[in-house]
C-alpha cells in the first residue's frame, strides 16, 4: 500500500539495515529456516510482476515494486531537497501514512528529476534471500540488433588522449569520460525480461527500472551504493579503479591481484574516497574510513571498493539532521563519475563527450519522510524508448591512463547490458 513504510515491508520480515552495502550474515539454525520460509518467492514475485511503466528497485536490503505517480516532484529553482520535502508534505496532507519518493536524479543538477510519490508500493526482503532468484531468466525477445557507438572507439580513445594532455598540463586531477552504444531492434523491446536477466545475474547488487518520461525507462544493475541512511547510521561505498574479469579462473585471479597493486587505479580510488571523507566528515560525530580498499566483483568487472560508515551528528535546533537525499546530493557527482575538481571536470566532459548524459551517472533510489533511504550511482545502465536502447559506460582518466586500456574498459562495462539483451558487441 502507498502508506507502507520502507523500513517494514508488509507481510515480510523486517528488512536488513539500509546501511549495508554487502549482504549481512545469514541467521543460523532454526532462525535461518524460518527466515528462508518467510522469504521464498516474496522478492521474486515483485520481479515477476514488473511491467513497463512500473518502478522496480532491488538492493541488498529490500525489494520494491511501485506503480502509478501519486505526486511528482516538480522542476524548479528551489533546492531539490526542499521540493522533495514539500511533495512529501503534500502527500501526508492527502492522507498517506508514510509517504516516500522514489526515482532518478540526473547527472546535471539543472535538469528535471524523475522522482514521484508512487500511487501504490509493495515491499519485500532482498532478492538475495529468495531461493527462487537462482532460477534462470529467459532471453529477451528482440534483435537482430543494429549497433552504433557514439563516439566510436577510435574517437573515444582520442578524447582520452586529449584528457591526459590536459591532466599533464595541470588543468585538473581526474576526469571520467563516457561513451554510448545505441542499439535498435526490429521488434518491440522486452524490458521485463531485461530486468529479470539483470536481477538474476547479480541479486546481491542494485537492480533498477525507473520511468523517466513518456515511453522511456531507465534500467540497469549498478554495483555502487552512493549513500544509505537509517536513523543516524550512514554508509557510502565508493568504487573506482576497475579491471575486466575473465572466464579463465587463473587469469581472473591475476586480474584481481594486479588491480590491488595498480598505482594508477589505487590513486584513482584514493581521490574518490577522499572526496567522500571531505563531504561526510563535517556532518558526522563519527566516520570510519578503512585505510586500504578491498575488491568487489560483478559478473563482468573487478572494482576497488571502500565501505565508509559513520554516525550523523545529533540534530540541533539550527542544524537538523540531513536526509539520505541531502547526503547523497552532498556527494553527487563523486570523482568516480565526474572527476576532480568537479567544475573543471564537468567542463571537460561537456567539451569532449558528444552526447547528453541525462540520467547516466546520476543517482536512483528512494527517501522517506523520516530521511531514511538508499541512493545508488546510475551506472551499468541503459535507457529504453520504443525499439531503441542507449547503453552507457565510462572510465576514469588520470595522468597514467592509456587510451586503449580505457576504451577496453568501457567495452567490458557494456557487457552487463549486452548480456541482458542477448547481444554481442
Amino acid at each position: 500500500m502507498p502508506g507502507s513504510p520502507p523500513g517494514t515491508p508488509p507481510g515480510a520480515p523486517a528488512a536488513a539495515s539500509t546501511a549495508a552495502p554487502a549482504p549481512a550474515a545469514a541467521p543460523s539454525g532454526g532462525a535461518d529456516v524460518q527466515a528462508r520460509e518467510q522469504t521464498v518467492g516474496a522478492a521474486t514475485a515483485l520481479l515477476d510482476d514488473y511491467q513497463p511503466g512500473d518502478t522496480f528497485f532491488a538492493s541488498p536490503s529490500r525489494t520494491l515494486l511501485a506503480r502509478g505517480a501519486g505526486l511528482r516532484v516538480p522542476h524548479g529553482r528551489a533546492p531539490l531537497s526542499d521540493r522533495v520535502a514539500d511533495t512529501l508534505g503534500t502527500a501526508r496532507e492527502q492522507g498517506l501514512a508514510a509517504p516516500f519518493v522514489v526515482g532518478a536524479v540526473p547527472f546535471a543538477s539543472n535538469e528535471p528529476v524523475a522522482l514521484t510519490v508512487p500511487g501504490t508500493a509493495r515491499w519485500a526482503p532482498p532478492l538475495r534471500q529468495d531461493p527462487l532468484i537462482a532460477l534462470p531468466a529467459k532471453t529477451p525477445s528482440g534483435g537482430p540488433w543494429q549497433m552504433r557507438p557514439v563516439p566510436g572507439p577510435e574517437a573515444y580513445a582520442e578524447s582520452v588522449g586529449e584528457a591526459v594532455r590536459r591532466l599533464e598540463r595541470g588543468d585538473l586531477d581526474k576526469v571520467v569520460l563516457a561513451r554510448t552504444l545505441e542499439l535498435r531492434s526490429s521488434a518491440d523491446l522486452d524490458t521485463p525480461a531485461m530486468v529479470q536477466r539483470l536481477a538474476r545475474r547479480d541479486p546481491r547488487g542494485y537492480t533498477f527500472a525507473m520511468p523517466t518520461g513518456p515511453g522511456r525507462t531507465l534500467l540497469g544493475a549498478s554495483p555502487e551504493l552512493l549513500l544509505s541512511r537509517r536513523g543516524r547510521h550512514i554508509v557510502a561505498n565508493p568504487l573506482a579503479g576497475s579491471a575486466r574479469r575473465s572466464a579463465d579462473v587463473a587469469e581472473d585471479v591475476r586480474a584481481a591481484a594486479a588491480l590491488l597493486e595498480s598505482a594508477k587505479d589505487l590513486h584513482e580510488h584514493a581521490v574518490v574516497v577522499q572526496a567522500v571523507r571531505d563531504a561526510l566528515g563535517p556532518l558526522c560525530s563519527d566516520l570510519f574510513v578503512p585505510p586500504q580498499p578491498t575488491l568487489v566483483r560483478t559478473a563482468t568487472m573487478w572494482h576497488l571498493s571502500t565501505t565508509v560508515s559513520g554516525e550523523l551528528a545529533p540534530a540541533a535546533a539550527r542544524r537538523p539532521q540531513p536526509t539520505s537525499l541531502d547526503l547523497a546530493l552532498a556527494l553527487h557527482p563523486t570523482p568516480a563519475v565526474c572527476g576532480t575538481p568537479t567544475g573543471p571536470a564537468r567542463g571537460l566532459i561537456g567539451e569532449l563527450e558528444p552526447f547528453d548524459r541525462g540520467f547516466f551517472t546520476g543517482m536512483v533510489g528512494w527517501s522517506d519522510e523520516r530521511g531514511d533511504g538508499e541512493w545508488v550511482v546510475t551506472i551499468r545502465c541503459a535507457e529504453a524508448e520504443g525499439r531503441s536502447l542507449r547503453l552507457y559506460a565510462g572510465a576514469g582518466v588520470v595522468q597514467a591512463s592509456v587510451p586503449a586500456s580505457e576504451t577496453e574498459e568501457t567495452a567490458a562495462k557494456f557487457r552487463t547490458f549486452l548480456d541482458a539483451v542477448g547481444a554481442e558487441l
Side-chain angles (χ1 to χ4, degrees):
M1 299 300 293
S4 301
T8 53
S17 168
T18 57
S28 60
D32 180 50
V33 173
Q34 182 180 14
R36 288 176 61 85
E37 290 176 349
Q38 288 178 327
T39 59
V40 170
T44 50
L46 302 190
L47 180 62
D48 293 341
D49 286 350
Y50 167 78
Q51 293 297 321
D54 294 346
T55 292
F56 181 82
F57 181 78
S59 78
S61 66
R62 67 199 68 217
T63 306
L64 165 67
L65 179 66
R67 286 186 171 145
L71 290 170
R72 298 183 184 277
V73 175
H75 186 52
R77 293 184 177 181
L80 177 57
S81 293
D82 292 348
R83 286 181 277 138
V84 167
D86 289 345
T87 304
L88 289 173
T90 300
R92 168 66 76 171
E93 291 172 358
Q94 293 180 356
L96 291 186
F100 66 99
V101 295
V102 63
V105 175
F107 173 67
S109 59
N110 60 344
E111 294 184 359
V113 300
L115 295 174
T116 65
V117 177
T120 63
R122 294 159 58 194
W123 298 87
L127 288 172
R128 63 182 173 83
Q129 290 182 357
D130 191 334
L132 299 185
I133 196 61
L135 296 176
K138 70 174 184 177
T139 301
S141 59
W145 297 95
Q146 297 177 346
M147 299 189 189
R148 185 172 75 98
V150 179
E154 297 81 6
Y156 178 77
E158 290 176 2
S159 293
V160 172
E162 174 59 23
V164 169
R165 287 188 286 273
R166 304 286 186 93
L167 291 161
E168 291 173 341
R169 200 168 67 192
D171 293 359
L172 65 170
D173 299 320
K174 175 186 174 179
V175 65
V176 179
L177 293 181
R179 64 187 183 110
T180 71
L181 186 63
E182 297 177 357
L183 276 64
R184 184 165 183 82
S185 172
S186 58
D188 292 337
L189 299 181
D190 190 352
T191 51
M194 293 179 196
V195 176
Q196 286 272 352
R197 295 264 287 201
L198 290 166
R200 292 181 185 276
R201 192 174 191 196
D202 187 12
R204 294 175 180 268
Y206 301 87
T207 303
F208 55 88
M210 310 277 185
T212 53
R216 293 198 307 274
T217 302
L218 177 72
L219 60 163
S222 175
E224 185 169 2
L225 173 68
L226 181 63
L227 190 288
S228 72
R229 194 200 101 164
R230 186 168 186 175
R232 289 178 55 195
H233 188 61
I234 64 169
V235 172
N237 186 207
L239 307 181
S242 306
R244 186 172 186 168
R245 298 198 62 197
S246 173
D248 179 86
V249 175
E251 181 57 35
D252 196 41
V253 171
R254 281 193 291 269
L259 180 59
L260 277 174
E261 297 179 354
S262 167
K264 176 259 183 187
D265 290 287
L266 289 169
H267 169 68
E268 180 184 342
H269 187 80
V271 168
V272 178
V273 172
Q274 186 61 48
V276 172
R277 186 200 303 266
D278 291 344
L280 297 181
L283 304 173
C284 293
S285 58
D286 178 59
L287 188 69
F288 175 68
V289 182
Q292 299 294 332
T294 58
L295 286 173
V296 297
R297 64 185 179 186
T298 66
T300 58
M301 302 294 295
W302 287 105
H303 298 284
L304 293 177
S305 165
T306 295
T307 300
V308 178
S309 59
E311 296 291 322
L312 291 172
R318 296 185 179 180
R319 187 181 180 183
Q321 282 187 342
T323 67
S324 62
L325 180 60
D326 293 330
L327 295 163
L329 290 172
L331 294 173
H332 174 67
T334 72
V337 297
C338 180
T340 185
T342 302
R346 278 187 181 275
L348 191 55
I349 288 169
E351 180 182 341
L352 296 180
E353 289 183 359
F355 58 89
D356 181 0
R357 287 194 180 187
F359 289 95
F360 172 62
T361 62
M363 57 189 192
V364 296
W366 62 271
S367 184
D368 65 20
E369 63 177 346
R370 296 169 296 188
D372 291 347
E374 296 174 289
W375 295 96
V376 178
V377 182
T378 313
I379 53 177
R380 308 297 190 276
C381 64
E383 192 161 46
E385 183 173 14
R387 295 183 172 182
S388 298
L389 276 173
R390 171 174 272 192
L391 283 58
Y392 298 87
V397 181
V398 294
Q399 284 191 37
S401 292
V402 177
S405 297
E406 306 301 349
T407 305
E408 290 173 3
E409 180 178 322
T410 56
K413 290 174 177 176
F414 281 138
R415 281 254 54 90
T416 296
F417 223 96
L418 290 173
D419 289 345
V421 301
E424 293 291 338
L425 183 59

